[in-house]
Amino acid sequence: MVNTIFSRPEAHRDIFTHYCPGCTHGITHRLVAEVLDELKIRERAVGIAPVGCAVLAYNYFYCDFAEAAHGRAPAMATGIKRARPDLIVFTYQGDGDLASIGMGEIIHAANRGEKITVIFINNAIYGMTGGQMAPTTMPNQRATTCPFGRDVNVAGYPIRVAELLSNLVTPSYVARVTASIPSQIPNAKRALRKAFQYQIEGRCFSLVEFVSTCPTNWGMSPIKACGWAQSDMLPFYKLGVYKTPDDPIPDAVRPREVKK
Amino acid sequence: MARILMKGNEAIGEAAIRAGCRFFFGYPITPQSEVPEYLAKRFPEVGGVFTQAESEVAAVNMIYGAACTGTRVFTSSSSPGISLMSEGVSYIAATEVAVVIVNIVRCSPGLGGILPSQGDYWQATRGMGHGDFRILVLAPASVQEAANLIGLAFDLADKYTNPVMVIGDGIIGQMMEPVEFPEMTDPKSFKEKPWALTGAKGREPNILTSLFLDPDVLEAMNQRLLKKYRQMEATEKRWEEYNISDHMDLLVFAYGTMSRISKTAIDELKQEGIKVGLFRPITLYPYAYEAASALIEKADKLISVELSTGQMIDDVRLASKGREVAFFGRQGGIVPTPEEVKSEFLKLVKS
Amino acid sequence: MNLNEDKNSVDDESRDSRPDPRSNQKEVHPGQPLGVAKYHIYTHARHALGGHESVKAIYQKLELLGPLQKRILGFLGNFGSGKTEVAVNFAMQLGLAANIENNGVEGPIRIIDLDIINPYFRSREAAEPLTEAGVEVVMPTGDKFWADLPIILPEVKGLIKRTDGKLILDVGGDDLGARVLSHLNQDFPLENTTLMMVVNANRPFTSDLAGARKVLSELEDAAGLKFGGLVSNTHLMDETSPDEIRRGYEFTKKVSAETGLPVLMVTAEPRLIDNGTNSGIRTEEFDCLLLPLYRFMLPPWRRDSIRSG
Ligand SMILES: Cc1ncc(C[n+]2csc(CCOP(=O)(O)OP(=O)(O)O)c2C)c(N)n1
Ligand code: SF4
């Protein structure tokens, strides 16, 4: 008798993806799909695709999906979640989508404590449009709109989304993980599970940042790209859990009991 | 200067430099990315400042700010990005400062696709943003014309202190043609702008705003703008006439890429003895209604051909004074072949 | 009348006719040659083979210089240098030649569209005439044919490692486009690969020697691979004259002298090549292959140029 010991998660459709070979988008998709399966939430999950390389994510996940305008996924997710709190709503966004054009939406969704889950792909570049500078691009890293390398005097330093959002007082779960180092993948999945778990419990906003690779636009082989993420990105984008809903609220803003 | 081969988008970048513009703010979007990418490489050679904005909303307000200092400035984007800019354009028009905006149009509403389209005609000529205002809209049909019109756009923006849009479809932005540029204009050669925000040294402070609380003042402001638009309508209409004769079987209305496809079809029909003329607006606003009307009288039939479901046809109808106007268009990024256009023309002539 | 009911029925009907964004997914398989693209959007390449016989006649004569006999032949260059046009024409020439016995060219001839930079004017747009000429076109299929996405097909690696036939690579423009090779550079059988830089002296960044050298080294750095030759592709579109071709060839020879890379091809539209009456250029003028270049990447209003010229 033959036992299947490895198969495709039900929440992942059985088709080829358009992602470049060796791109970590693929691994991340799989992890998300596995978690949807394991938590048995596929049938009440609604995903929101960004504008970015993952624009076609709805082709790969086997659950309901919408496609947002560039950067607006957290706002759309807010609308869906508020209209149907029983649904499990997640967005899947790149760094241009989330941290550039959509910075307003993400900060406010997190600050309102929307019970949604955000999967944030930080690959330090704009993939879809062909390698322009992202807010997360590393100093001196080349991109088409900074052909001489990111100049921190005109473009500033890279934005650390996990740190930034964890400074908000509103309770949330914020973690940074990576799928570009095999030994880190179980951690990444644990963080994703946690993020969805908090949403299922109706506790808080959750965001998992994936330090990812874009071998194509970085101009590296996939293996080299993973190496670069490790050597150049991880020292700055440190892995870890940045905030949990159990973190204390400062006394100065603790609301008073209001008698109804 | 020798002619060189350039893509429309690159030519737009170079033409802006030649026109003395040294400031660009924009956000990446296909199919116009070559404009910022060309400038990112070329600006350092001429002391220009290239800034990647965090969004189109920010980009349009950055050009708004730069324009308040009186300098030449521009941005470029494509349809979804232009939609995001529309709020800012309304403020710029109301504040009356000079900016140039390039729109390399992509297809369909929403995210649509990156293929060529002329679906933003209404947006550009009618509803660019809230409130009563107009922007000048220039539509090139070749790389050389794109370069020329960029130069003109900066001049007109300064002349009227008003936003000017140069609108093209993906083909105009992406195709290569030989092009020749004018000599470099020295950015220092422009006249001082007494209204600009340059620091109130030895003068009363300048205020640039679009807020007027008193209804009388606000109405006067609207009237002032109207007067300006009337002047644009009186002096800035531009168009091309092609194969016009006193007795035409058909008069075609087309701009940009569709005008070039139409010309190919018209040339072939000419050899078959069928007289088809072309009216190509170069300014989409102001539209040259009178010139169009004069030609309409010489034609048996009229048709508007567009890469949309029919937008410019509204203007053709205004010019035609109640005569019937046929329409042919393709959408979704599909560009018709000259044969397809020709057979539409033939069908109409024979009907 | 119940307005609500009426309204709903209209809505339902119109929604039913909305396309399913996911339709066709099962059949769409990256890289399976599509053969015929559904529409030709900007180019009307199918016309380029218009006068089949005359085209074939010119194309069949093949005397390839050593570096051109390698199995993998890649074309790189700066934006707008004409790489795609050269790659498509050369592949087509090989494709047609491979159909003839004892021509020294063995199939299968494949072309990979590796242009991840520019969604317009890519070699996939010439898929139909290429297929007709016996060339297998490796490109994204289904709706991804039109995608504004950097798609690298998974089978590319395998095709590079194969040993049969010939593989033509149409690489995207500039160092940005060349980056795609660095993704793959460890897989190249270097002894059996020739990468060529396509030079058009009428383009902004390669109009002088210093510029051409700079672009050359940027491309090599980005690709992580070295060039093996040059292609002289100087033209001014419709305004090209035979002298323009000669001038471009002289320029490329200068680049050659400085870099040590041989000029392997010079290209010219057929109308510029001597046919006994037009005082065009002649094969003897060049120490390399003269590639008749039919324009496939034409704007839509130019679809007839081949048939008439
Ligand atoms: C309003 C608007 N502006 C610009 C674009 C063009 N655009 C598409 S994707 C993208 C950035 C994608 O980068 P990122 O979010 O980092 O995702 P990645 O592709 O790297 O996964 C941009 C600028 C757009 N679609 N809409
Ligand atoms: S371009 Fe980059 S992010 Fe996009 S699929 Fe390719 S490798 Fe992944």
Side-chain angles (χ1 to χ4, degrees), chain A residues 132-133 143-148 151 153-155, chain B residues 21-28 32-44 46-53 62 74-76:
Chain A
Q132 292 85 4
M133 181 179 66
T144 64
T145 46
C146 53
F148 313 107
D151 177 354
N153 293 314
V154 298
Chain B
C21 174
R22 292 293 178 273
F23 299 94
F24 176 92
F25 301 86
Y27 187 72
Q32 65 78 49
S33 293
E34 294 83 1
V35 179
E37 285 166 7
Y38 180 83
L39 291 172
K41 274 194 181 166
R42 178 84 168 94
F43 254 172
V46 294
V49 177
F50 165 86
T51 309
Q52 181 175 324
M62 289 172 183
F74 88 118
T75 187
S76 93

Side-chain angles (χ1 to χ4, degrees), chain A residues 25 50-54 69-70 72 93-98 101 121 123 125-129 132 134 214, chain B residues 27-30 56 77-78 80-82 84 106 111, chain C residues 148:
Chain A
H25 267 303
V51 180
C53 278
H70 193 25
R72 317 296 178 214
Q93 303 175 258
D95 40 28
D97 194 78
L98 181 139
I101 192 166
I121 306 299
N123 58 11
I125 202 127
Y126 284 14
M128 180 184 196
T129 37
Q132 292 85 4
C214 177
Chain B
Y27 187 72
I29 187 165
T30 315
E56 290 86 354
S77 189
S78 177
I82 297 289
L84 284 180
R106 45 194 257 177
L111 197 52
Chain C
D148 169 26

Side-chain angles (χ1 to χ4, degrees), chain B residues 318-329:
Chain B
L318 285 174
S320 74
K321 300 189 184 113
R323 278 186 55 189
E324 197 177 322
V325 186
F327 177 75
F328 175 71

Side-chain angles (χ1 to χ4, degrees), chain B residues 3-7 10 30-31 41 114-116 170-171 174-176 178 260 264 268 333 335 337-339, chain C residues 41-42 44 47 80 118-121 146 148 174 200 202-205 235-237 239 300-301 303-304 307:
Chain B
R3 287 153 75 75
I4 47 173
L5 262 187
M6 272 196 152
K7 278 191 177 195
E10 297 169 335
T30 315
K41 274 194 181 166
I114 50 153
L115 302 178
I171 295 180
Q174 295 289 340
M175 72 176 178
M176 286 208 306
R260 293 190 68 169
T264 306
E268 286 187 14
V335 178
T337 59
E339 282 105 335
Chain C
I41 305 152
Y42 341 98
H44 295 268
H47 295 286
N118 189 338
Y120 280 67
F121 301 116
W146 295 283
D148 169 26
D174 279 13
N200 180 349
N202 286 323
R203 288 284 292 156
F205 297 106
H235 65 92
L236 258 180
M237 295 288 181
E239 293 168 35
W301 53 86
R303 68 24 175 144
D304 257 336
R307 255 196 264 156

Side-chain angles (χ1 to χ4, degrees), chain C residues 54-111:
Chain C
S54 59
V55 176
K56 284 183 186 165
I58 306 184
Y59 266 171
Q60 283 162 9
K61 286 178 257 140
L62 261 191
E63 278 163 47
L64 298 179
L65 298 175
L68 290 177
Q69 292 174 9
K70 299 283 172 72
R71 196 178 69 79
I72 301 180
L73 300 165
F75 296 92
L76 289 82
N78 61 331
F79 273 135
S81 56
K83 317 158 292 297
T84 298
E85 208 78 88
V86 175
V88 165
N89 275 272
F90 189 61
M92 201 166 281
Q93 174 151 6
L94 290 180
L96 291 167
N99 292 337
I100 301 164
E101 274 172 56
N102 305 326
N103 210 336
V105 182
E106 292 290 327
I109 311 296
R110 299 189 179 89
I111 183 167

Side-chain angles (χ1 to χ4, degrees), chain C residues 99-144:
Chain C
N99 292 337
I100 301 164
E101 274 172 56
N102 305 326
N103 210 336
V105 182
E106 292 290 327
I109 311 296
R110 299 189 179 89
I111 183 167
I112 305 185
D113 181 347
L114 277 176
D115 192 343
I116 56 159
I117 291 295
N118 189 338
Y120 280 67
F121 301 116
R122 294 181 282 201
S123 60
R124 63 191 73 166
E125 291 177 29
E128 194 180 313
L130 279 166
T131 311
E132 225 175 282
V135 179
E136 202 177 297
V137 185
V138 184
M139 61 183 183
T141 56
D143 56 357
K144 304 208 178 63

Side-chain angles (χ1 to χ4, degrees), chain A residues 18-20 23 25 53 123 127-128 213-217, chain C residues 150:
Chain A
H18 69 278
Y19 298 115
C20 307
C23 170
H25 267 303
C53 278
N123 58 11
M128 180 184 196
T213 65
C214 177
T216 301
N217 283 300

